[in-house]
Amino acid sequence: MDGRDLVRSVKSVGSVGAAQGLRTVRAAWRRRRADATGLPPRGPVRARVPGTVREVEPGLGGGLIRFGRSELRIFVAVNGAVFWGWDGAAPEPSYALAGRCPDPDPRAALEPDKDGGWRVVAERVTVVVSRHGAVEVLTPGGVMLRRDLPPRWWEPVGGGAARWMQRSEVPADARFFGLGGRASGPRLRDGTYRLWNAAPGRAVGPGDDPLSVTMPVQMVVADAGTHLMFYDNSWDGTVTLREGEEGAGSGHDRAGTSEVCVDGGPLRCWVMVGAPARVLLAWASLTGAPALPPAWALGHHHARGASGGEEEVRRTVAGHREHGLPLDAVHLGIDHFDARQVFTVDRERFPKLPVLADELRREGIRLVSVVGPAVGAAPGTTVYDEGVERDAFVRDASGEVVEGAGSAGEVVFPDFTHARVRAWWGGLYAERLAQGFAGFWHSLDEPTSFTAFGEPTLPRSARHALDGRGGDHREAHNVYGLCMARAAYEGLREQAPRERPFVFSRSGWAGMQRHGGVWSGGVMAGWPGLRAALSLVLGLGLCGVPYAGPDVGGSPGEVSPELYLRGLQLGAYLPFFRTHDGARAGRGGPWGFGADVLGHARVALVERRRLLPYFMTLAHLARRTGAPYVRPLWWSAPEDRALRDCEDAFLLGDCLLVAPVLAPGVDRRAVQLPRGRWYDTATGRAYDGPVRVWADAPLGRIPVFARGGAVLPVLGEDGGPELEVWAPARGRTGGGLVVPDVGEGWEEPETERYTVRWSGSRVVVEREGGDRGVEPSCPVRVRGTGTGGGQM
């Protein structure tokens, strides 16, 4: 047991009770003992570099370059992405890829370059390999976007997994984003970031790292262009970033650097080049389209923080109804389970759960159940006995089932890296569906001990199937939550084929968007937590996970009315919007903070309800294009350095710019507006960007701007669909896409395309189709004309 394990274990004794704490200490000692005997001892290593080029074997889309002490496989795929792998590493097998690797592009070929090097030229990128193994990624015009120096390996003399390091250089003006959900983002400053999914052991803020979703995915934005780099390796590692420094025209620029160090596994990567939208389209085609949530999942969710039963759920719903607060889902925590069993309802607290679920569904409210991977090691319980019979639980290097510490005692963990186990686990959700649950949120899926958040429960030497390859937890840890989400998603698709599954997880890895979304795990701490929450959502979106969000109002200790309200106003514009009842702070909901806060909260919740058709359109577009709902301000203009460095505002789709309040006592704030016309949606005042403006931010609202020419599908006052159109600048045109949702199933809706233009003194809105277009499918309300708007 190392010092960190010991400290966490001792803390847990005092924080969760002596019995549970002692179980945690014992589990930590067992992990330490298992790793001491199950992992190869550390011994002398031998350093290695590729050497020089010896021979080349051209192939479709690229080829194989053999060096003195290694070999490099490189090719361009038909989607424009470039793959390269050292030491025989191939694109498959991979937990990140959606199915098979894309075919090579037959138009690309490996050809000689200067100084004994080789290059592959494609439509949007040129890749040059030097005679010593450096790899340069260039724009079609020959401008360098990234230069990977020859990699290094440290191989155990006695055999075993080799550590490797890849150092890269980027332009001096480049900015780093991504690496999964990082509280310190969205722009990643100089520092070292760990690639190891870890549960937040407390409320988190910008200084906390790592968190529950780490990914070796970098989005790099520079004047020369944007590229995404993905190191397809799930082992533990670190990424050390250092931004460059320009020489103010002197020519003495210092390049930015990225140093990736991984404890084992293959050295292989993918790189995609182009505008941000094109890059994420290629990323989605490689790793899979984001799952489409059901329409209700884009509304307001509420999670209960205190124990209680059916009557407390009814009181929660009644409180929202009484105060005129829209509510779409209620989340039940671990207290609704039988203490010893997973998927089994506590009959004392919830004697008629299906009846309750049916009552709520008739009111338009769904029930969502928490599910964790830990199974109580209790013979005679259904899930445990079935798991033992199916040999479903993770074992250690000696062949014994690994036991950890859980809230109800000793627990064991399914091996979700085995297809047979995933199929069994997915079938268990039938019990949840029969109880009336419509969705599921995964927690403690790092996996982590319930009794001491942040403490791992599986030793690194634990054995996993890894879908037939075999390996240990060092490789399986980061993909464990991803595989659990896959088990749930595939099980739900089989058991309820007519409904889109709703699964969101605390942990995951590259490609997890195929199975659902992400919640931020531990609650955000105070005012810094608001900034951390925004960073997490923006970072995950740039890594291909568009549906994400934090808990609102669940911070430990007392939450001030102002902090609660500003968090609610931010959350109302994020994809996953869940409030917490704040029981730990003595509050039951917005009404617990007084009439003023309640009134302002109602405005935010009603606005979220009004924007549901827009969120649904963004969800459909994310599935089709990979574009996130929430985007950085530089999304459409990555060359704009002022936007590149702006971290306190975001775009919601193409139409809205949201500037949340992230500090106390603020009633006005500066907002950087991109190029084009923008309207303050509260006042109607127009601004022409790029420009920096001051906007009012009273306690009752945050600044929100609409793009001139935007077409937003919204709910009208009568609850029916309506188009809110913002007038373009004179002499300009606008337009937008609307994707109406046709239900909870899988029917593909038709995309409606609209154009907006001035005709004399009128704004004309037309739906594309036919020679002259067709009438809009719903009423249109034009704003920003200076005459009060109206039907046009």
Side-chain angles (χ1 to χ4, degrees), residues 92 254 273 289 305 326 339 376 388 395 565 602 697-698 791:
E92 299 178 39
R254 176 172 60 80
V273 174
V388 170
R395 296 179 178 272
L565 189 56
R602 185 183 299 112
Q791 174 71 41

Side-chain angles (χ1 to χ4, degrees), residues 75-316:
F75 70 86
V76 179
V78 291
N79 66 350
V82 182
F83 170 83
W84 67 79
W86 289 94
D87 283 358
E92 299 178 39
S94 168
Y95 283 105
L97 299 189
R100 300 289 299 177
C101 171
D103 293 331
D105 186 347
R107 299 171 297 175
L110 190 63
E111 56 188 46
D113 195 55
K114 61 184 179 181
D115 298 327
W118 293 79
R119 67 181 180 183
V120 181
V121 180
E123 179 182 2
R124 293 191 283 275
V125 63
T126 297
V127 182
V128 177
V129 182
S130 77
R131 63 190 297 265
H132 293 289
V135 181
E136 286 190 350
V137 180
L138 311 174
T139 68
V143 179
M144 192 269 287
L145 294 175
R146 188 182 194 93
R147 183 173 188 265
D148 282 10
L149 302 179
R152 299 179 182 179
W153 294 266
W154 288 268
E155 301 169 330
V157 173
R163 295 183 294 112
W164 55 263
M165 183 270 284
Q166 177 68 73
R167 190 171 187 270
S168 309
E169 296 177 349
V170 298
D173 66 285
R175 297 291 183 261
F176 295 100
F177 301 87
L179 295 183
R182 301 286 173 168
S184 57
R187 172 183 162 193
L188 300 175
R189 263 49 176 208
D190 296 1
T192 298
Y193 302 85
R194 191 178 178 192
L195 298 171
W196 185 258
N197 291 350
R202 60 197 180 284
V204 299
D208 292 295
D209 184 75
L211 297 180
S212 301
V213 184
T214 66
M215 299 182 196
V217 180
Q218 299 177 16
M219 177 80 83
V220 184
V221 183
D223 288 351
T226 301
H227 72 273
L228 182 148
M229 173 65 78
F230 168 50
Y231 292 94
D232 193 354
N233 185 310
S234 63
W235 284 63
D236 192 4
T238 59
V239 179
T240 301
L241 303 176
R242 187 181 71 167
E243 292 183 347
E245 184 176 346
E246 295 180 284
S250 67
H252 297 287
D253 292 352
R254 176 172 60 80
T257 60
S258 165
E259 186 175 279
V260 180
C261 300
V262 178
D263 288 348
L267 173 44
R268 57 182 180 178
C269 59
W270 290 88
V271 63
M272 283 137 262
V273 174
R278 184 181 292 275
V279 165
L280 281 186
L281 176 62
W283 176 246
S285 71
L286 183 71
T287 61
L292 184 66
W296 61 265
L298 294 169
H300 171 217
H301 302 240
H302 185 77
R304 301 180 310 113
S307 300
E310 293 180 4
E311 290 309 310
E312 183 180 331
V313 174
R314 289 189 172 92
R315 284 195 297 270
T316 296

